Amino acid sequence: MSKGLSFLRGVIAGAPADEAGEVRAPSIHADAHAGRARAVVDAVLPVVDGGRFPVKRVTGEAVVIEAHVFTDGHDVPRVMLQWWKEGASRREEIPMKLRYNDEWHARFVAPAPGRYFYTVVAWVDAFESWHEELERRVDPDDIRIAARVGAQEIRAAAGRAADGADARVLADWAQALEADAADAEVDAEVLKALALDEQRADAARRHPDRSLEVRHAAELPLVVERVRARFSSWYELFPRSAGDTPGRHGTLQDVAKRLPLIAAMGFDIVYLPPIHPIGREQRKGRNNALSTEPGDVGSPWAIGAQEGGHKSILPELGTLEEFRALVADAAAHGMEMAMDIAFQCAPDHPYVREHPQWFRWRPDGTVQYAENPPKKYQDIYPFNFETDDWQGLWQELKSVLDHWIAQGVKVFRVDNPHTKSFTFWEWVVGEVKREHPDVIFLAEAFTRPKVMHRLAKLGYSQSYTYFTWRNSKEELTRYFTELTEAPGIDYFRPNVWPNTPDILHESLQSGLEATFKSRLVLAATLAASYGIYGPAFELFEHLPRGPGSEEYLDSEKYQLRHWNWDPEAGLRPLITRVNEIRRAHPALQANRSLRFLAIDNEHLIAYLKQSPDGRDVVVTVVNLDPHNAQQGWLALDPSEFDMEDDEAFQMHDLLTDQRFAWRGRHHFVRLEPRLPAHVMVLRRHLRDERDFDYYL
Amino acid sequence: MSKGLSFLRGVIAGAPADEAGEVRAPSIHADAHAGRARAVVDAVLPVVDGGRFPVKRVTGEAVVIEAHVFTDGHDVPRVMLQWWKEGASRREEIPMKLRYNDEWHARFVAPAPGRYFYTVVAWVDAFESWHEELERRVDPDDIRIAARVGAQEIRAAAGRAADGADARVLADWAQALEADAADAEVDAEVLKALALDEQRADAARRHPDRSLEVRHAAELPLVVERVRARFSSWYELFPRSAGDTPGRHGTLQDVAKRLPLIAAMGFDIVYLPPIHPIGREQRKGRNNALSTEPGDVGSPWAIGAQEGGHKSILPELGTLEEFRALVADAAAHGMEMAMDIAFQCAPDHPYVREHPQWFRWRPDGTVQYAENPPKKYQDIYPFNFETDDWQGLWQELKSVLDHWIAQGVKVFRVDNPHTKSFTFWEWVVGEVKREHPDVIFLAEAFTRPKVMHRLAKLGYSQSYTYFTWRNSKEELTRYFTELTEAPGIDYFRPNVWPNTPDILHESLQSGLEATFKSRLVLAATLAASYGIYGPAFELFEHLPRGPGSEEYLDSEKYQLRHWNWDPEAGLRPLITRVNEIRRAHPALQANRSLRFLAIDNEHLIAYLKQSPDGRDVVVTVVNLDPHNAQQGWLALDPSEFDMEDDEAFQMHDLLTDQRFAWRGRHHFVRLEPRLPAHVMVLRRHLRDERDFDYYL
C-alpha cells in the first residue's frame, strides 16, 4: 500500500458507514440507494490543498463554513454542517443557511485548542420542496392535490418520529389535510393555510427523510490554537547582555530583572536566543571572526559542548531551576518565555560522540559541516535526516521539546526550519500539539515563498515574513494583500519584525528616528503578531558591520553588550502606547480584515482593519518619508460603515489623543517625521456621546 | 464503506506499491524508508477540485504540467512527470525542468481521445547535489575531499547500472577521481574538471538512487477529446421548416438539401431539435397556446407518442434509413449531425405505459407533470430519478444514446440537463465516453453558475453560456475574463449563441443589421465554439411573441415556417467569411489566450487572441453601437510581440482585406454600423514580405 493511500484514508477517518455519499464515476452496480441521491455538495470551504492540511483558527474565533450545495430542478436541499473533535464519538450538527448563488453558510466556535474535523451532508428534502412549491400555488385544484401529496409526506414524517409527541401532531395533521382536501366545501385558501401551518411544519422538519443523504468526499481538518497563536507581541533579547555591569556576562536572573520593563512596554512573549552550552571547537569570534580571542563567548546557535547539549543551560547563564523561576516570573507578569530551537550541533556537542550515525561523515573521517559553497560554517554540524537511524534521531529531537515543555515552555521559535526535513517537522509538530495543543511554533524561515508556506501548512503556528525587506508603499501593499488572501490567510500567520539579530535593514542604518517609528507602527498594525529585537531596536542601534551588510556591528550574536534599561529611553514610550492600542482594539488582533485605502501621496500608506463584529474600526496612516512632512487626501466612504453619506464622524488618533471630525468621502491627512503615523479609531453615532466609549 | 472512500480510492487507482510517498501526519512507526524521504511535492497543476474531476484537453494540444517541488536546504531534487492512459500497464515518465520559484514544468501530448492520469514523483538527488555544489567550490582542499565524496556516489551509481557500458564508465571514473584526489601532484582545478565531466555525469544521471522517491498524493485525471470538443461552429435548424414548399412539413431529405449551403457557410455541426414522435395529449398550439387547432404540429421537445419514443423518428420527417443517409451526407460535406437529447416524456410516450415506475404518481392517479408553480408544463412528464428502479431507468436512457451512436451520431446537445440527476449524468457521460471517447456532449443549461460548472466538471464537453445576455463592453469583458480564468478554463468550454429558439434577446428585437453583425462577430471570435439558430438569425428574424418576451413570434417550436435559402441572403456572406477566418486562424480555435485591450471608447470593445506557438495573433474590435460610427485609440504594445518599440507592423483586416500600417503603442480605430467589426491579423517582420503568408 502506498503512502498516498494512507494519506487519503486519513482524510476520511471516522466516516460512518453511510450508504449514500458523494459518488465518483457512479456505478450502476452500486448499493440500492447510491444512484437515487440527488443532492450535490460541490465544495466545502475553507479548505487547504483539498484537505491535505488543516485550516487554522483560535479559540473563541468563529469558524465560518461555506458549502456549495444544490440539486437538479427546483427541489429544496437541506444542508448540515458536521464538526467534531478528533477522536470524539459524537458529531455536532448545525443546519446551514442559503445565502445566495447556492452558497450555504454556518458557523461554530471550537471550545478548546486541539484538532477538529468538519464536513457537510445534504439531502433533497421532499417535505421542504413540497412546502416551498405550495407557497407559490394559486390554482385551487392544484392546492387540493398538493394537500394530498403533502399528507403523504407528513404521514411518513410521523412514522419517522416514532411514538413521540411529534408523531401524534403529524399524524393528525396528515389526516386533517386529507379530509379537507376531499371536502369540496373547504376553500382552497383555507386548505393552503392549514398545509402551510408553520408550527406543524417545524415538527415535520424535525424528522426528515435522510435516506438519500450525500456526504462531502472529504472530512476537512481544522487546528484550533489558543489566541496568542494569532495575536502576540514578541520581545527578543540576549540574556548575555541583560546584566547591569558592562563586561559581565548576563544571566537568567538578569533577564528576570528586565521582565517588569518588558511587561510595561506591553509585550507578551519574551524570546531568548539559545541558552545552551556553546561549542568551543571552531568557535566564532567577535563580528563573526574565524578565530577567537580570550573571553570570546561564541554564537549561541553553535549549540553543545562538554557541559551538555540541547537540554542543558550554559553555566554562565544559570541553572535549570533559575530558568524555571524565570518562566514563572514571566507568567506573573502576564508573559511567557519563548525558547529558541536550533536543531544543529557544534563540533563538540555530545551528540557527535554519542550518536555519530546522525551526522554525515566524509571520506577523510571528518563530519560534514554546514556549507553552501563557497560559504562554510565549520562551527555547525547539521543532522543527516537521511540517516538509517531516523527514528532514533526523531525521538531524541522530540525529547528536546518535551524537556523544555516540562520546564513550562509553551512557545518555540524554530531556527531555520527549512534546512531540516519537512517530514520530520510535520511529525514532530503534530505529535507535540497532539499532546500539548497549547504549544505555539514560530518558523524562522526566510526563504522562498512556497517553502515558507509549506512550513505553515504542515503545522507552524506563525511564520516570519519578508516584512523587513518590504519598505515602499507598493511593496507593503502588495505583500500584505497577498498575506491576507485565501488560501494563505487560512494557515499562514505572519509574525513581522522590523529587525532581528541577523537583519539590520538598510533603511534602519540611517539611524533616523522617524524610520524606526514608522517601521514599529507598520509592524504592530499591519500584522496581528509582531516582534522586535531589543534593546537594539528601541535604542536606535543602526551601525552595520560593513558597507552593504545587514549584520549589526559588534553584534550580540558573538559578544556581550551593555544596554540602557531606562523605561523612558528611545522608543519605549511609543512602543508602550502602540501595544496598549493593540490590546484594546480587536481590529488589530487579526489579519483577515486588512484592506488598503486610497491616498494620493506615494509616501503615505493607509489601511483599515475591523473587528469581526464590525464595531471596532481602526485606520492607520503612516508617512514613509523620514525626512519631510507629507500630506494627502485619504478615501474613506462612511456608507461602508452604516453611516449616511453626509454623516459626520470622529477619527480619534490613539497615539496623540487628537480627535478629527470627518465628513464625506475624502479626508485630509498630514504627518510629520516627528510622529509619522496616525492610528485612529472610527467613532460613529455622534448623536450619542456614550457610544464613543465602546473601545478605549 | 462510504462512497467517499470509493471516490478516493478511485483517485489513486493503479498506484504502484511504492514504499516512499507523500506522508500525512508521518508516523515514526512506518516502514524503514518513510521518514528519510526529503523531497516535497507541494502541488501539481492543473487540478480540478483536488482531482475529483478531470482536466480537459484535446488531441494535439500540449498538456503543460506544473509541479511545486523542493527540499530542505540546498540539495537538488529531481522531478519526473508520469502520465498514462487509463488501464495502461506502463507509465510514461518525463523529466521536469525548474523554471523559477520552485515551479517545475513538463509537457506531453496525449495521442488519442480517452481518459488519462498524471502525477509527479521526486527525490533528493545525491549525485546532482554533489555536482551542483562542486561547481561552486574554490578551496583546493574542499575540492579534493569533494572528489572523494563524489567517487562514492559514482561507485553507487555504477552498482545500480549493473553490468552495462555505463557501469564500466562509472567505475573507472570513480577510481580515477579517488586516485587523483590522493595524488598531491594533481592540481585541484584539474581534479575539479575531471569531476565535472559532463558526459560521464550523464551516465551517472541515468542511474539515480530513487529509493527515497516521493509521490504526489493524487493521481490526477485528464480527459482528452477530439479537437471539435474545443473548436466547433454549430448551425441549428428545424427540419420541419427545411422544405421548399410553404405549408408542407419539412423532412430529413429536405435537411439534406440544405447541407451544401450550411457547409458553404463554414459550419461543422448541424444540430436538429428532437426528431422523435411528438405527443398528442396536452399538445401545445401555435405560439405556445394551451390548445391546438387542426394541423398543429406541437413542440418537438414533447417527446413520444404511439409511434414511439426517444429511439423513433417522427414519421413526417422520414425514416431511420433516411436519418442514416443524412448523417453520411453531412460527413461528405465535412460536417456532422448533432442529436438533441431531452430526457422527458409527453403524456402519451410509451414509457409512461411500459415503465410507470419511472414517473412520480400523484394521489389522484395522475402523473406529476413538470411545473414550477405557478408555471405548469402539462405536456411534459419528467422522469423520477429517485425511483427504486433507477438502474432500469439509467440503462434505458443510456440505450437511447447508444441507439443514436449506432446510427453515426457523435454529438449530443442535451436539453436542460440541470433538471435531471447529476449522479445520472456523471455515470452516463462517463460510460458513453469510455466506450466512445470521440462523443461530444453540449450542456444546454441556462441556470446558476455553480450548477453550470458542475455539469462541465462531471463530463460535458461544452456548455451553453450567458453570452446572449452579455451585451455591454463591461458585461462582455467581465464574463469572458471569468470564462478564461482557472480553474474553469481547464474544464468549462463555452459554446456561445447570439440566439436560440428560446432566446431572442431584446437587443436583436430592434432588427438592426448592425446588431446582428456585431453579435455574430463577437460570438465567433470571443469563443472557440459558437452557434446560431438559423435561418432565423441570418435572416434578421426579430419579432417577439409579445412585449418583454424573449420568445420568437410564430416560433418554429410550435409551427412550420418557410425560409429563404438563397446563399447570398441576409448575413450569409458575412457568416461565410467569419467561419473561413476561424478555420484559418489557430488563435481563434481556443479560449485560453483571450485578453482584452484598452480602447478609450465605451462603445468599442477590443481583444486579442494568440495561437499557442505565438505566431498567429488576431485582434478583434467591435463597435457595440448599432446607430453611430465610433472611433478610439486602441492600446497594443509591439514589444509584447517580439518587435521593437518603434517597429512598424501591419494589421490586416480579414473581413475587408484592408491593411493598416501601425507603429507605436496606440492605434486609431474607427468602425461604422455598416460593418461594425475588424478581425485583424498582426503581420510582423515587414522587411520580408513572404512572412506575411504564414496564416492566410
Side-chain angles (χ1 to χ4, degrees):
Chain A
M1 189 176 72
S2 79
K3 282 299 166 306
L5 181 53
S6 73
F7 146 50
L8 291 164
R9 206 175 38 185
V11 169
I12 57 149
D18 196 291
E19 283 304 294
E22 178 75 15
V23 187
R24 178 170 187 263
S27 166
I28 200 162
H29 306 299
D31 61 75
H33 283 313
R36 298 174 60 212
R38 291 166 52 226
V40 175
V41 182
D42 194 58
V44 176
L45 303 171
V47 59
V48 178
D49 290 3
R52 167 70 178 83
F53 295 104
V55 162
K56 289 179 190 151
R57 293 291 184 273
V58 299
T59 50
E61 181 179 19
V63 183
V64 180
I65 305 297
E66 175 179 313
H68 301 169
V69 178
F70 44 83
T71 185
D72 53 273
H74 305 287
D75 282 347
V76 179
R78 277 179 73 187
V79 187
M80 295 283 175
L81 167 66
Q82 295 183 340
W83 68 275
W84 63 99
K85 197 159 201 289
E86 185 176 44
S89 57
R90 186 167 154 273
R91 297 176 173 212
E92 306 294 326
E93 196 169 74
I94 304 171
M96 301 191 80
K97 283 188 185 149
L98 179 61
R99 193 182 284 177
Y100 55 83
N101 195 16
D102 299 310
E103 295 168 7
W104 299 70
H105 285 81
R107 61 174 61 205
F108 65 96
V109 175
R115 196 174 177 88
Y116 297 79
F117 290 92
Y118 55 90
T119 196
V120 167
V121 301
W123 65 92
V124 177
D125 195 280
F127 174 82
E128 207 67 56
S129 302
W130 165 80
H131 189 93
E132 199 265 345
E133 277 190 346
L134 182 58
E135 287 178 329
R136 289 183 281 125
R137 288 190 189 281
V138 288
D139 182 309
D141 290 342
D142 286 350
I143 290 170
R144 237 167 259 282
I145 293 177
R148 293 172 66 186
V149 171
Q152 292 178 339
E153 293 297 337
I154 291 163
R155 187 159 288 123
R160 289 188 295 272
D163 53 2
D166 282 348
R168 281 190 305 280
V169 168
L170 292 169
D172 291 350
W173 189 24
Q175 197 173 1
L177 279 175
E178 276 176 346
D180 287 4
D183 184 349
E185 300 286 301
V186 177
D187 181 80
E189 283 304 310
V190 172
L191 182 61
K192 183 173 172 178
L194 174 64
L196 292 177
D197 181 284
E198 265 307 308
Q199 199 176 341
R200 282 178 274 199
D202 282 342
R205 289 182 182 117
R206 282 193 287 272
H207 307 284
D209 177 4
R210 295 174 63 163
S211 60
L212 299 183
E213 181 174 296
V214 164
R215 175 176 304 284
H216 185 57
E219 305 195 335
L220 301 172
L222 164 73
V223 164
V224 175
E225 299 180 87
R226 57 194 173 109
V227 173
R228 200 160 278 169
R230 189 189 70 199
F231 169 51
S232 58
S233 310
W234 294 53
Y235 190 82
E236 173 175 6
L237 81 165
F238 279 74
R240 59 171 50 165
S241 309
D244 286 315
T245 313
R248 211 203 68 198
H249 198 292
T251 66
L252 297 176
Q253 289 185 334
D254 290 325
V255 173
K257 282 191 227 162
R258 306 305 164 207
L259 294 179
L261 171 63
I262 300 168
M265 280 194 283
F267 292 101
D268 44 36
I269 296 181
V270 180
Y271 151 50
L272 307 181
I275 57 173
H276 314 300
I278 295 169
R280 290 180 186 83
E281 286 184 37
Q282 304 284 349
R283 177 177 285 191
K284 295 288 174 73
R286 292 167 176 240
N287 286 308
N288 204 20
L290 283 177
S291 60
T292 52
E293 292 173 24
D296 276 357
V297 288
S299 161
W301 283 276
I303 295 171
Q306 64 188 50
E307 296 91 340
H310 285 76
K311 296 175 190 169
S312 303
I313 293 178
L314 181 71
E316 286 85 341
L317 288 175
T319 66
L320 195 59
E321 289 64 37
E322 286 163 343
F323 180 75
R324 278 199 297 264
L326 179 64
V327 169
D329 206 353
H333 283 90
M335 303 191 296
E336 54 190 307
M337 303 303 301
M339 165 76 63
D340 193 306
I341 293 295
F343 280 148
Q344 57 195 21
C345 298
D348 38 340
H349 193 298
Y351 284 156
V352 181
R353 193 176 65 251
E354 295 164 10
H355 300 284
Q357 76 278 20
W358 293 347
F359 301 89
R360 205 178 284 275
W361 291 80
R362 305 196 296 184
D364 64 347
T366 61
V367 172
Q368 175 67 61
Y369 48 79
E371 58 173 347
N372 184 17
K375 290 189 199 163
K376 303 192 220 181
Y377 310 90
Q378 293 97 332
D379 58 336
I380 302 292
Y381 287 0
F383 291 111
N384 173 16
F385 283 89
E386 290 185 0
T387 173
D388 286 333
D389 184 30
W390 61 275
Q391 281 115 326
L393 175 62
W394 284 20
Q395 289 289 24
E396 176 61 24
L397 296 182
K398 177 170 181 293
S399 79
V400 170
L401 299 168
D402 289 337
H403 173 80
W404 294 108
I405 291 169
Q407 315 310 319
V409 173
K410 291 183 174 175
V411 183
F412 294 103
R413 176 271 196 194
V414 178
D415 191 73
N416 280 329
H418 56 295
T419 61
K420 288 94 191 171
S421 158
F422 294 87
T423 310
F424 163 70
W425 286 127
E426 188 169 1
W427 173 79
V428 79
V429 171
E431 289 295 300
V432 167
K433 289 187 71 73
R434 196 174 312 269
E435 296 161 20
H436 307 282
D438 53 350
V439 166
I440 291 171
F441 288 91
L442 165 61
E444 188 248 9
F446 293 109
T447 180
R448 307 184 306 282
K450 290 181 178 62
V451 176
M452 291 168 65
H453 274 255
R454 179 76 176 198
L455 291 164
K457 286 195 275 192
L458 65 79
Y460 277 88
S461 315
Q462 302 184 349
S463 305
Y464 277 64
T465 70
Y466 305 146
F467 169 71
T468 322
W469 301 281
R470 298 293 178 271
N471 288 272
S472 73
K473 178 175 180 171
E474 191 198 335
E475 286 168 353
L476 289 163
T477 303
R478 192 181 301 178
Y479 188 53
F480 280 86
T481 299
E482 177 195 318
L483 286 175
T484 47
E485 280 172 352
I489 185 69
D490 287 315
Y491 62 81
F492 188 99
R493 295 202 194 97
N495 187 332
V496 309
W497 293 66
N499 73 328
T500 78
D502 291 313
I503 316 170
L504 170 67
H505 186 267
E506 187 189 3
S507 66
L508 296 179
Q509 295 180 12
S510 67
L512 289 169
E513 293 193 10
T515 303
F516 282 75
K517 289 173 181 171
S518 67
R519 295 300 289 174
L520 170 74
V521 172
L522 287 166
T525 56
L526 277 169
S529 285
Y530 89 110
I532 59 171
Y533 153 53
F537 184 77
E538 73 260 27
L539 298 181
F540 310 117
E541 183 85 356
H542 64 278
L543 294 182
R545 188 195 298 161
S549 170
E550 286 193 339
E551 295 264 346
Y552 279 95
L553 179 67
D554 298 332
S555 167
E556 292 178 283
K557 280 173 70 180
Y558 310 104
Q559 68 187 74
L560 309 184
R561 292 289 301 270
H562 182 71
W563 300 107
N564 174 1
W565 297 104
D566 177 351
E568 297 302 317
L571 277 186
R572 285 181 187 137
L574 180 62
I575 292 170
T576 304
R577 183 66 193 134
V578 165
N579 282 333
E580 268 175 16
I581 295 167
R582 281 166 52 83
R583 289 191 178 194
H585 286 273
L588 299 176
Q589 296 169 11
N591 298 309
R592 194 176 295 266
S593 71
L594 176 71
R595 64 188 171 91
F596 290 89
L597 303 175
I599 185 163
D600 61 346
N601 180 328
E602 64 175 316
H603 298 288
L604 293 178
I605 187 168
Y607 44 92
L608 180 145
K609 282 182 148 187
Q610 205 164 356
S611 60
D613 65 6
R615 296 183 68 180
D616 186 32
V617 178
V618 174
V619 172
T620 303
V621 189
V622 178
N623 176 3
L624 301 173
D625 176 358
H627 302 287
N628 304 294
Q630 294 288 346
Q631 63 190 44
W633 290 88
L634 178 147
L636 183 74
D637 183 349
S639 69
E640 290 181 36
F641 303 93
D642 290 329
M643 293 185 285
E644 301 299 320
D645 271 353
D646 61 347
E647 189 173 331
F649 55 100
Q650 192 187 75
M651 297 303 291
H652 178 191
D653 186 347
L654 303 168
L655 292 176
T656 60
D657 210 28
Q658 282 179 289
R659 290 164 195 260
F660 305 101
W662 284 10
R663 188 191 291 270
R665 297 172 162 224
H666 292 89
H667 316 281
F668 183 77
V669 173
R670 177 184 165 88
L671 286 164
E672 310 211 7
R674 187 184 47 81
L675 181 55
H678 287 311
V679 181
M680 300 180 283
V681 64
L682 184 155
R683 303 204 189 276
R684 286 162 275 192
H685 309 305
L686 284 176
R687 51 196 169 280
D688 182 351
E689 194 71 25
R690 286 166 308 177
D691 279 0
F692 286 179
D693 299 322
Y694 179 58
Y695 291 115
L696 259 201
Chain B
M1 190 175 72
S2 79
K3 281 300 165 308
L5 181 54
S6 74
F7 144 50
L8 292 163
R9 208 175 37 184
V11 170
I12 57 150
D18 196 291
E19 284 303 296
E22 177 75 17
V23 187
R24 178 172 187 261
S27 167
I28 200 161
H29 306 298
D31 61 75
H33 283 315
R36 299 174 59 212
R38 290 166 51 225
V40 175
V41 183
D42 194 58
V44 176
L45 302 172
V47 60
V48 178
D49 290 2
R52 167 70 178 84
F53 295 104
V55 161
K56 290 180 190 148
R57 294 292 185 270
V58 298
T59 50
E61 182 179 18
V63 183
V64 180
I65 305 296
E66 175 179 313
H68 302 169
V69 179
F70 45 83
T71 186
D72 53 274
H74 305 288
D75 283 347
V76 180
R78 277 179 72 186
V79 187
M80 295 284 174
L81 168 66
Q82 294 183 341
W83 68 275
W84 63 100
K85 198 160 200 290
E86 185 176 45
S89 56
R90 187 168 153 272
R91 296 175 174 213
E92 307 294 326
E93 197 170 72
I94 304 171
M96 300 190 81
K97 284 188 183 146
L98 179 60
R99 193 181 284 178
Y100 57 82
N101 194 17
D102 299 311
E103 295 168 8
W104 299 70
H105 284 81
R107 61 174 61 206
F108 66 96
V109 175
R115 196 175 177 88
Y116 297 79
F117 291 92
Y118 55 90
T119 195
V120 167
V121 301
W123 65 92
V124 176
D125 196 280
F127 174 82
E128 207 67 56
S129 302
W130 165 81
H131 189 93
E132 199 265 345
E133 278 191 345
L134 182 59
E135 286 178 329
R136 290 182 279 125
R137 289 189 188 281
V138 288
D139 181 308
D141 290 343
D142 286 350
I143 291 170
R144 236 167 259 282
I145 292 177
R148 293 171 66 186
V149 171
Q152 293 178 339
E153 292 297 337
I154 291 162
R155 188 160 287 123
R160 288 187 296 272
D163 53 3
D166 282 347
R168 280 191 306 281
V169 168
L170 292 169
D172 291 350
W173 189 23
Q175 197 173 0
L177 279 175
E178 276 176 347
D180 286 5
D183 184 349
E185 302 284 303
V186 177
D187 182 79
E189 283 305 311
V190 173
L191 181 61
K192 182 173 172 178
L194 174 65
L196 291 177
D197 182 284
E198 266 308 308
Q199 199 176 340
R200 281 178 274 199
D202 282 341
R205 289 182 182 117
R206 281 193 288 272
H207 307 284
D209 177 4
R210 294 175 63 164
S211 61
L212 298 183
E213 181 174 296
V214 164
R215 176 176 304 285
H216 185 57
E219 306 195 335
L220 300 172
L222 164 73
V223 163
V224 175
E225 298 181 88
R226 57 194 173 109
V227 172
R228 199 160 278 170
R230 189 189 69 198
F231 169 52
S232 58
S233 310
W234 293 54
Y235 189 82
E236 174 176 7
L237 82 166
F238 280 74
R240 59 171 49 166
S241 309
D244 287 315
T245 313
R248 212 204 67 197
H249 198 291
T251 66
L252 296 176
Q253 288 185 333
D254 289 326
V255 174
K257 282 190 229 163
R258 307 303 164 208
L259 294 179
L261 171 64
I262 300 168
M265 282 194 283
F267 292 100
D268 43 36
I269 296 181
V270 181
Y271 151 51
L272 307 182
I275 58 173
H276 315 300
I278 294 169
R280 290 179 186 84
E281 285 184 38
Q282 303 284 352
R283 176 177 286 190
K284 294 288 173 73
R286 291 167 176 238
N287 286 308
N288 204 19
L290 283 177
S291 60
T292 52
E293 292 174 24
D296 276 358
V297 288
S299 161
W301 283 276
I303 296 171
Q306 64 187 49
E307 297 90 338
H310 285 76
K311 296 175 191 170
S312 303
I313 293 178
L314 181 72
E316 286 85 340
L317 288 175
T319 66
L320 196 58
E321 289 65 39
E322 285 163 343
F323 180 76
R324 278 199 296 265
L326 179 64
V327 169
D329 207 352
H333 284 89
M335 303 191 295
E336 54 191 306
M337 303 302 301
M339 166 75 64
D340 193 306
I341 292 295
F343 279 149
Q344 58 195 22
C345 298
D348 39 338
H349 194 299
Y351 284 157
V352 180
R353 193 175 65 250
E354 294 164 10
H355 301 283
Q357 75 278 19
W358 293 347
F359 301 89
R360 203 178 285 275
W361 291 79
R362 304 196 296 183
D364 64 347
T366 62
V367 173
Q368 175 67 63
Y369 47 80
E371 59 173 346
N372 184 16
K375 290 188 199 163
K376 304 193 223 181
Y377 309 90
Q378 294 97 331
D379 59 335
I380 302 292
Y381 287 0
F383 291 111
N384 172 16
F385 282 89
E386 290 185 359
T387 173
D388 286 333
D389 184 30
W390 61 274
Q391 281 115 327
L393 175 61
W394 285 19
Q395 288 289 23
E396 177 62 24
L397 296 181
K398 176 169 182 293
S399 80
V400 170
L401 299 168
D402 289 337
H403 173 79
W404 294 109
I405 291 169
Q407 314 310 320
V409 174
K410 291 184 174 174
V411 182
F412 295 103
R413 177 271 195 194
V414 178
D415 190 73
N416 280 329
H418 57 295
T419 62
K420 288 94 191 172
S421 158
F422 295 87
T423 310
F424 162 70
W425 286 128
E426 188 170 2
W427 173 79
V428 77
V429 172
E431 288 295 299
V432 167
K433 289 187 71 74
R434 196 174 311 270
E435 296 161 19
H436 308 282
D438 53 351
V439 167
I440 290 170
F441 288 92
L442 165 62
E444 188 249 8
F446 293 109
T447 180
R448 307 183 306 282
K450 290 182 177 61
V451 176
M452 291 168 65
H453 274 255
R454 179 75 176 200
L455 291 164
K457 286 194 276 192
L458 66 77
Y460 278 88
S461 315
Q462 301 185 348
S463 305
Y464 278 63
T465 70
Y466 304 145
F467 169 71
T468 322
W469 301 281
R470 298 293 179 271
N471 288 271
S472 73
K473 178 175 181 172
E474 191 198 335
E475 285 168 353
L476 288 163
T477 304
R478 190 181 303 179
Y479 188 53
F480 280 87
T481 299
E482 176 195 319
L483 286 175
T484 47
E485 280 171 353
I489 185 69
D490 287 315
Y491 63 80
F492 188 99
R493 296 202 194 97
N495 187 332
V496 310
W497 293 66
N499 74 328
T500 78
D502 291 313
I503 315 171
L504 171 66
H505 186 267
E506 187 189 4
S507 65
L508 295 180
Q509 294 180 12
S510 67
L512 289 169
E513 292 192 12
T515 303
F516 282 76
K517 290 173 180 169
S518 67
R519 295 299 290 174
L520 170 75
V521 172
L522 287 166
T525 56
L526 278 168
S529 284
Y530 89 110
I532 59 171
Y533 154 53
F537 184 77
E538 74 261 26
L539 299 180
F540 310 117
E541 182 86 355
H542 64 279
L543 294 181
R545 189 195 296 161
S549 170
E550 286 194 339
E551 295 265 344
Y552 279 94
L553 180 67
D554 298 332
S555 167
E556 291 178 284
K557 280 172 69 179
Y558 310 105
Q559 68 187 76
L560 309 184
R561 291 289 303 269
H562 181 71
W563 300 107
N564 175 359
W565 297 104
D566 177 353
E568 296 302 317
L571 278 185
R572 285 180 186 137
L574 180 62
I575 291 169
T576 303
R577 183 65 193 136
V578 165
N579 283 333
E580 269 175 15
I581 296 168
R582 282 166 52 84
R583 289 191 179 194
H585 286 273
L588 299 176
Q589 296 168 12
N591 298 310
R592 193 176 294 266
S593 71
L594 176 70
R595 64 187 171 94
F596 290 88
L597 302 175
I599 184 164
D600 61 346
N601 181 328
E602 64 175 316
H603 298 289
L604 294 177
I605 187 167
Y607 43 92
L608 179 145
K609 282 182 148 187
Q610 206 163 356
S611 59
D613 65 6
R615 297 183 66 179
D616 186 31
V617 178
V618 175
V619 173
T620 304
V621 189
V622 178
N623 176 3
L624 301 173
D625 176 359
H627 302 288
N628 304 294
Q630 294 287 347
Q631 63 191 45
W633 290 87
L634 179 148
L636 183 73
D637 183 349
S639 69
E640 291 180 37
F641 302 94
D642 290 330
M643 294 184 286
E644 301 299 321
D645 270 352
D646 62 346
E647 189 173 331
F649 55 99
Q650 193 187 75
M651 297 303 290
H652 178 191
D653 186 347
L654 303 168
L655 292 176
T656 60
D657 210 28
Q658 282 179 290
R659 290 165 196 260
F660 305 101
W662 284 9
R663 188 191 292 271
R665 296 171 162 226
H666 292 91
H667 317 281
F668 183 77
V669 174
R670 177 184 165 87
L671 286 164
E672 310 212 5
R674 187 184 47 80
L675 182 55
H678 286 312
V679 181
M680 300 180 283
V681 63
L682 185 154
R683 302 203 190 276
R684 287 162 275 192
H685 309 303
L686 284 176
R687 51 196 169 278
D688 183 350
E689 193 70 26
R690 285 166 308 175
D691 280 358
F692 287 180
D693 299 321
Y694 178 59
Y695 291 116
L696 260 199

